[in-house]
Amino acid sequence: MPLDRPLGELGIDSLTAAQLSVEVEERAGLTIPLERFLGDETIGQLLAQAGESAA
């Protein structure tokens, strides 16, 4: 899965986005709204922002 490809282009549906949001919160303690998994953001962008939030 390319880090520079928008998540919305990867075929993620709302159920998968909800599961990802919960999984990230449980494993990493980071709250990422499910809407962000459905939009134009890339995995790289989400990871960069998650790193900033954790710092």
Side-chain angles (χ1 to χ4, degrees):
M1 182 181 313
L3 297 180
D4 62 348
R5 190 166 170 202
L7 291 169
E9 288 182 10
L10 298 176
I12 295 175
D13 60 14
S14 58
L15 176 60
T16 303
Q19 291 170 331
L20 285 170
S21 181
V22 169
E23 193 74 22
V24 168
E25 186 166 1
E26 288 177 354
R27 290 182 181 226
L30 300 170
T31 302
I32 299 176
L34 68 98
E35 295 86 15
R36 294 186 62 195
F37 291 104
L38 296 170
D40 293 331
E41 291 184 90
T42 66
I43 292 175
Q45 290 170 322
L46 286 178
L47 289 174
Q49 290 177 342
E52 292 171 6
S53 297

